[in-house]
Amino acid sequence: MKVKLFGICAVLALTLAVPTAAISLEPTDTTDSLVLEASSQYATIEDGKLHVNFDRLNADSVTTIDEVFTVQTTDDDVAAITLEAESEGISFYQSDYPDVAVDTDTPLILETGESQGVGMAIDSRDAEEGTLSFTIHVIYEDDDDDESEAEPPELVNVTVSDTEVTVGETITVTGVYQGSTQSMVTTATLTQDDVVVTQRRIMVFGGQTETVSFDRTMDTPGTFEVGIDGQTETVTVTEPAEPAAQAANISVTNATLDRTHVRPGEQATVAITVTNAGDATGERTLEFAVGNFVVETKTVTLEPGETREIRFEQRFERVGTYSLAVNSVDVGTVTVAEEGTVAAAIADLPNEAAPALAVPLALGAGLVAHRRRS
């Protein structure tokens, strides 16, 4: 996707006064492409304007609100959105990804009709008093150029912060993309042992580099291949050399599948047994993978000695055979076939856990079907 950057789309007036602050947004003609809505107790819409009022603005520190307003695109040609403040000390970030800023380096990428919450951080030590502003820029897809001539961004480097960790530690996987002559949107995919854990769409501007990072908590001992877009490093996870006198030890001890054959539109249920064999209360994130894509996650907290059954439900719409797993524990396969047919296929599902992705990945490969003789 080649894009072109258009100018100022909206102006936000920010008035700072310790210990309070107020913000108002004047809608412009860009509402044909964007819809902005109040989405917090601090925000209201009055007389067609978005007002944000802080009860207190922390003196000599940072005040944050995880979601101030939402942005929604209504134009198929919108490729990305950036927010730029006039003053230092004011920044914006994605509500569901607090570590991902919304600025010229990391623009917001949305599908048509998709909404994204925007949070704000105001550092009273740097933000100037008085009336300030920030602008919303929209990057539109350029339909006039021949997209077939554009080369996609190239992943030139992948690094893992630590390749030898103990259970419970978090690693950071970082990828660097090099843009070609045209600015393009690309999808960065984090994988562990060929299973897609999450995906993030990023904008890589022409001739520039763009960095994307994923945090991954390693809570199972073993050796794993972790990386981005197929470029991986081996990460070894071990139990602590001197485990604490009291520690949680949560593991999947059993997994069952209620159905192995369904029709399109029907669902299958996976039931897993999770047990805490340790001496302390702990939590574990369970990742349900369908066709090598994590489609749902659940976090469970267990007391010492507690056992609990957790269920995952998955509805299947397309003919094919899908492999199921929870935290790398093989659950089995589900074959989806029309009545009166026998089908065999390898199929992948999109990662529904990544809210930025709205375009499904390709399903099905090498489908073989034949009708039974009557």
Side-chain angles (χ1 to χ4, degrees), residues 202-267:
I202 61 173
M203 171 68 71
V204 184
F205 291 95
Q208 300 182 22
T209 60
E210 183 63 38
T211 300
V212 60
S213 295
F214 297 95
D215 290 332
R216 177 72 172 164
T217 300
M218 310 300 292
D219 55 8
T220 304
T223 301
F224 307 94
E225 291 296 321
V226 183
I228 298 175
D229 295 353
Q231 296 187 30
T232 65
E233 290 193 27
T234 302
V235 177
T236 302
V237 185
T238 58
E239 296 285 0
E242 297 181 1
Q246 289 188 335
N249 181 13
I250 300 175
S251 61
V252 177
T253 57
N254 188 43
T256 60
L257 176 62
D258 70 335
R259 310 171 69 183
T260 58
H261 292 78
V262 298
R263 297 187 183 95
E266 294 181 339
Q267 72 178 27

Side-chain angles (χ1 to χ4, degrees), residues 14 21 57 66 71 137 170 173 181 217 256 262 308 312 318 321:
L14 171 63
L57 184 63
D66 285 340
V71 179
H137 297 272
T170 298
V173 186
T181 57
T217 300
T256 60
V262 298
R308 189 181 305 173
F312 292 94
R318 301 192 181 187
T321 297

Side-chain angles (χ1 to χ4, degrees), residues 9 23 25 27 29 35 51 76 106 144 181 190 204 212 233 242 246 248 256 268 279 281 284-285 299:
C9 294
I23 302 173
L25 174 65
D29 56 6
V35 175
H51 296 269
D76 291 340
T106 54
D144 297 331
T181 57
L190 175 68
V204 184
V212 60
E233 290 193 27
E242 297 181 1
Q246 289 188 335
T256 60
D279 301 320
T281 300
R284 179 84 178 271
T285 298
T299 300

Side-chain angles (χ1 to χ4, degrees), residues 35-40 65-73 81 83 92-98 100-102 108-110 114-120 355:
V35 175
L36 304 177
E37 294 185 352
S39 60
S40 72
I65 295 182
D66 285 340
E67 183 171 311
V68 178
F69 58 91
T70 62
V71 179
Q72 182 185 47
T73 61
I81 303 162
L83 289 84
F92 308 90
Y93 56 89
Q94 296 185 27
S95 296
D96 45 358
Y97 295 106
V100 179
V102 181
L108 187 61
I109 301 172
L110 300 175
E114 182 182 359
S115 295
Q116 172 64 57
V118 176
M120 286 188 65

Side-chain angles (χ1 to χ4, degrees), residues 45-216:
I45 296 179
E46 303 173 8
D47 300 327
K49 297 180 181 180
L50 177 65
H51 296 269
V52 179
N53 295 290
F54 298 92
D55 293 334
R56 287 180 175 83
L57 184 63
N58 299 326
D60 297 325
S61 60
V62 178
T63 301
T64 61
I65 295 182
D66 285 340
E67 183 171 311
V68 178
F69 58 91
T70 62
V71 179
Q72 182 185 47
T73 61
T74 59
D75 189 339
D76 291 340
D77 292 332
V78 174
I81 303 162
T82 70
L83 289 84
E84 182 179 8
E86 269 188 5
S87 170
E88 294 183 359
I90 302 174
S91 60
F92 308 90
Y93 56 89
Q94 296 185 27
S95 296
D96 45 358
Y97 295 106
D99 58 333
V100 179
V102 181
D103 54 23
T104 55
D105 292 328
T106 54
L108 187 61
I109 301 172
L110 300 175
E111 296 293 337
T112 303
E114 182 182 359
S115 295
Q116 172 64 57
V118 176
M120 286 188 65
I122 303 175
D123 190 338
S124 58
R125 295 164 297 188
D126 296 328
E128 301 174 4
E129 293 188 10
T131 300
L132 310 173
S133 67
F134 79 83
T135 57
I136 300 177
H137 297 272
V138 177
I139 303 172
Y140 287 92
E141 181 178 358
D142 188 352
D143 294 327
D144 297 331
D145 297 326
D146 183 4
E147 294 190 13
S148 62
E149 297 178 358
E151 292 291 334
E154 179 185 0
L155 180 62
V156 295
N157 187 41
V158 173
T159 57
V160 178
S161 59
D162 198 344
T163 58
E164 294 185 2
V165 297
T166 57
V167 172
E169 291 186 333
T170 298
I171 61 175
T172 300
V173 186
T174 302
V176 178
Y177 289 83
Q178 175 65 55
S180 61
T181 57
Q182 300 290 340
S183 299
M184 298 183 70
V185 175
T186 191
T187 300
T189 301
L190 175 68
T191 61
Q192 178 173 313
D193 289 344
D194 295 327
V195 174
V196 174
V197 176
T198 189
Q199 296 173 309
R200 187 179 301 164
R201 294 173 60 193
I202 61 173
M203 171 68 71
V204 184
F205 291 95
Q208 300 182 22
T209 60
E210 183 63 38
T211 300
V212 60
S213 295
F214 297 95
D215 290 332
R216 177 72 172 164

